[in-house]
Amino acid sequence: MAIELRLATLADAPVLQLLIEKSVRVLSASYYSDSQIASALRYIFGVDTQLIKDGTYFVAVSDDTIVGAGGWSKRTTLFGGDQLKAETPDPLLDPERDPARVRAFYVHPEWSRQGISRRILSACEAAASADGFKRVELVATLPGEPLYLTMGYERMEPLEMNMPDGASISGFRMGKNL
C-alpha cells in the first residue's frame, strides 16, 4: 500500500496518542518490562503538541490511517511528550551552534520494518538542514537504536531515563552531522 508523509495537525493528537501507546507496548516488550513500559507511557512517551505547532512533526498515512509518526525540533527539549514539559514553550535552538533534535518516533506494530521510520527520519533531516542546522541529536530507546545506527547516527553516551515512580528505561544519546 502507498504511504504518504504529511505534517501532523492538532486534530491528529488523539489518534497519535493511541498510536504511541500501541507502538510502545508492542515494540518495546522485548526490551523493557511491563512496569517500565507503563511508567514510560505515563511520564515520558506521549504527544508533543509543540512539535505539531512548530510544523516539524510528520505522520505516515496509508488509506487515511496514521501508521507512523516522528519529527524534529528546533527547541531545547531532547525527548518526552507534553506530560514531561513545562507550560511555556521551550527555548529555540541556534542552528549555528546547536544541533536540531530528532524526536518522538513511533510506528504501528503492524507496519513496523517497512521503511516508515527511515522515510520520516530522512524528511526530518532534510527539513532540519533546510532550516540551517548542521547536526542532529536524539535520545534512542533500545528498540530504536538499531534504526539510528543504520541511518548513520553514532552513540554519544548511554542514558537512564528515570521516572518519578522509581522506574527507569535505558537508552542512548546519539548524533549525526548533516
Side-chain angles (χ1 to χ4, degrees):
M1 297 193 101
I3 296 172
E4 295 181 26
L5 294 186
R6 67 167 171 81
L7 289 174
T9 67
L10 289 175
D12 295 324
V15 173
L16 288 169
Q17 192 60 45
L18 294 172
L19 170 72
I20 291 166
E21 184 167 338
K22 182 76 165 179
S23 178
V24 171
R25 287 195 186 282
V26 175
L27 299 178
S28 296
S30 60
Y31 297 90
Y32 305 119
S33 70
D34 289 344
S35 62
Q36 286 174 302
I37 290 170
S39 182
L41 283 166
R42 180 175 180 194
Y43 295 109
I44 298 174
F45 302 132
V47 175
D48 183 339
T49 53
Q50 187 64 59
L51 294 174
I52 296 171
K53 290 174 187 175
D54 285 346
T56 60
Y57 201 62
F58 294 94
V59 292
V61 180
S62 176
D63 257 352
D64 296 324
T65 301
I66 295 174
V67 297
W72 70 281
S73 180
K74 49 188 154 192
R75 298 187 181 272
T76 57
T77 297
L78 193 54
F79 65 90
D82 286 348
Q83 73 272 36
L84 191 65
K85 295 175 18 176
E87 295 285 320
T88 58
D90 45 319
L92 290 169
L93 297 165
D94 178 353
E96 290 300 315
R97 69 164 200 265
D98 300 318
R101 313 297 196 212
V102 168
R103 308 256 331 275
F105 271 63
Y106 304 98
V107 173
H108 191 285
E110 293 173 11
W111 290 84
S112 67
R113 303 256 180 238
Q114 295 185 41
I116 293 170
S117 291
R118 286 175 181 265
R119 283 187 58 198
I120 296 171
L121 186 55
S122 293
C124 290
E125 291 172 355
S129 180
D131 220 35
F133 287 92
K134 297 168 187 64
R135 183 170 172 79
V136 288
E137 291 185 3
L138 58 86
V139 170
T141 58
L142 297 181
E145 181 202 16
L147 164 73
Y148 299 117
L149 287 172
T150 63
M151 295 291 290
Y153 286 77
E154 296 180 354
R155 285 186 207 109
M156 297 165 54
E157 64 181 330
L159 291 177
E160 281 298 317
M161 292 164 268
N162 299 310
M163 293 164 275
D165 61 4
S168 69
I169 59 172
S170 299
F172 293 94
R173 187 173 184 143
M174 302 179 79
K176 176 182 178 178
N177 292 329
L178 295 176

